[in-house]
Amino acid sequence: MSDYQMLREAHTIQSLRDFINDNAVRPCTIMEVCGTHTMSIARWGIKTMLPDQIRLVSGPGCPVCVTDASMMGTAFSLAQKPGIIFTCFGDMLRVPAGDKSLLQLKSSGSDIRIVLSPMDALQLAVENPEREVVFFAVGFETTAPLTAATINLANQKQITNFSILCAHKTMPAAIKALLPGSAVDALICPGHVAVITGCKKFQFVAEILKRPAAVAGFEPFDILLAIAYLIKDIKENAAHLYNCYPRAVDDNGNITAQEIIDQVFMPADGIWRGLGLIKDSCLSLRDEYSDFDAVKKFAPEPVSISDNPACMCSAILRGESSPEDCQLFDKQCTPEHPVGACMVSAEGSCAATYKYMRRKAK
Ligand code: SF4
């Protein structure tokens, strides 16, 4: 039996379910803040394995979902400038903002191209010296190191027709802003982000915010083990940080990745969809690299965009609502025709619910 088969082994899973059932002594809400956890929880039916008094909610863990309408407006503005090749990950192409999306702009003639990494965008810049190439840099601590390495390389090679629209965000500041005053009793910390930051970066959740927290992997065993620890703490009115993903996460994280982020970026205030403006929760380019800042380079006109008022993405990203609460879910809003950002990425709460749990939701 492989390691991964063991992580899905029925007997082990049942033991964890039994422990959780026996120790869930009061109603509680547990939030996950990682899009891959959102997807895994839906895919493996984790909610159906838990007693009714444990409520699992999604937080602001999907980078596509938390990119707000004003940032999308800036992207639209840049993508429509003559001479620019605007590049982004595939998911960003379909994010609706107001009555537009990058996909619609592409259909109307803007030169917008999907890339798999910022290095691909940099290569486009090398191959098209007469054009300006802009990369829409979206993601958390997991993707920021590669963007930083790309900027560093562009700087070393003096590639001057490359820049980024920086929408990188960092998770701890969002958690600090969201948890106090929320109904969330405990947190499943993001496993991928913790690989980069280290487990200790989330110590504040237990020590300062007084909520139990567990860094978790993405197999059913990983997620149920994290929930078991959290339920035990809730029962005992305790708040510890647990590393339930030691095969990938250590205390201090990936120092090389942290150093390249620190070299190229600095913390900045920024807007999250659903959470609003959060101090020091985003990354912006340091002054030495400001030539690669597309906003400084092209001064895109501000575009005012409002989300569909019926869309409940904001409440879902705060853990206050579930996709099934939205009147548009599986009606006007589907993955083929997303009305809001949470229906676009596979890691979005609405898309994951649609794909794996729709029949139950009806
Ligand atoms: S179902 Fe669609 S419209 Fe409703 S909250 Fe989700 S993304 Fe928004």
Side-chain angles (χ1 to χ4, degrees):
M1 188 183 287
S2 73
D3 286 354
Y4 280 97
Q5 281 172 320
M6 284 178 66
L7 292 170
R8 297 173 184 176
E9 207 265 319
H11 176 73
T12 317
I13 299 293
Q14 188 57 50
S15 300
L16 286 168
R17 289 182 68 184
D18 290 345
F19 179 90
I20 292 167
N21 265 305
D22 291 347
N23 288 276
V25 292
R26 67 171 174 85
C28 62
T29 300
I30 297 174
M31 173 179 275
E32 94 271 351
V33 283
C34 172
T36 313
H37 280 143
T38 303
M39 209 166 52
S40 289
I41 286 167
R43 178 184 178 196
W44 296 109
I46 301 288
K47 288 181 182 177
T48 66
M49 297 183 194
L50 301 175
D52 287 345
Q53 51 190 352
I54 299 179
R55 183 169 169 256
L56 288 187
V57 295
S58 300
C62 157
V64 172
C65 308
V66 296
T67 302
D68 77 302
S70 65
M71 180 60 79
M72 291 308 302
T74 305
F76 294 166
S77 193
L78 282 167
Q80 292 177 96
K81 282 198 179 287
I84 284 182
I85 301 173
F86 191 85
T87 62
C88 62
F89 297 136
D91 282 348
M92 296 311 298
L93 209 59
R94 300 175 59 244
V95 174
D99 59 355
K100 286 198 185 73
S101 68
L102 287 168
L103 187 60
Q104 285 169 350
L105 296 182
K106 182 176 169 63
S107 309
S108 306
S110 296
D111 193 348
I112 300 171
R113 306 187 195 182
I114 293 174
V115 290
L116 297 179
S117 88
M119 287 292 185
D120 292 347
L122 183 61
Q123 183 60 30
L124 259 182
V126 171
E127 291 165 2
N128 296 273
E130 76 293 356
R131 304 281 301 275
E132 287 284 344
V133 175
V134 176
F135 173 66
F136 195 2
V138 170
F140 300 124
E141 289 90 335
T142 40
T143 49
L146 186 52
T147 306
T150 306
I151 294 288
N152 204 26
L153 185 63
N155 193 39
Q156 284 170 9
K157 293 189 173 291
Q158 299 185 339
I159 300 170
T160 57
N161 64 327
F162 175 76
S163 58
I164 64 166
L165 171 59
C166 189
H168 279 305
K169 293 177 165 49
T170 53
M171 191 49 80
I175 294 170
K176 277 179 200 156
L178 176 62
L179 252 52
S182 79
V184 175
D185 297 288
L187 191 76
I188 300 174
C189 301
H192 291 142
V193 168
V195 170
I196 303 295
T197 64
C199 191
K200 281 199 298 199
K201 195 80 178 176
F202 294 95
Q203 192 69 46
F204 71 93
V205 181
E207 285 185 356
I208 298 171
L209 304 181
K210 305 296 181 197
R211 261 81 160 189
V215 174
F218 302 94
E219 293 295 318
F221 170 86
D222 296 318
I223 296 170
L224 287 170
L225 181 66
I227 293 171
Y229 275 113
L230 297 174
I231 288 298
K232 176 176 172 292
D233 263 18
I234 290 171
K235 179 183 175 186
E236 296 172 353
N237 282 323
H240 297 97
L241 170 67
Y242 298 99
N243 182 1
C244 301
Y245 196 24
R247 66 185 186 278
V249 175
D250 62 19
D251 275 357
N252 298 313
N254 184 329
I255 303 299
T256 305
Q258 292 169 28
E259 285 176 351
I260 187 84
I261 291 175
D262 285 346
Q263 178 191 329
V264 172
F265 294 115
M266 59 186 179
D269 302 349
I271 300 174
W272 294 54
R273 186 190 303 279
L275 276 63
L277 183 71
I278 304 176
K279 191 168 169 42
D280 290 341
S281 66
C282 296
L283 297 175
S284 69
L285 288 164
R286 291 189 180 279
D287 287 347
E288 316 79 288
Y289 298 95
S290 62
D291 287 350
F292 297 99
D293 185 334
V295 171
K296 289 189 176 144
K297 194 171 188 179
F298 301 108
E301 304 76 29
V303 179
S304 174
I305 294 180
S306 302
D307 288 323
N308 186 315
C311 171
M312 297 183 69
C313 280
S314 292
I316 290 168
L317 292 167
R318 292 192 299 271
E320 295 168 0
S321 297
S322 299
E324 302 93 316
D325 298 329
C326 176
Q327 59 183 335
L328 307 186
F329 179 79
D330 196 17
K331 297 185 178 75
Q332 292 95 326
C333 186
T334 63
E336 291 74 33
H337 301 286
V339 175
C342 296
M343 191 58 97
V344 175
S345 165
E347 298 190 344
S349 190
C350 298
T353 303
Y354 183 93
K355 182 168 184 183
Y356 296 110
M357 300 162 67
R358 182 161 52 119
R359 272 181 224 99
K360 183 171 178 289
K362 277 182 170 175

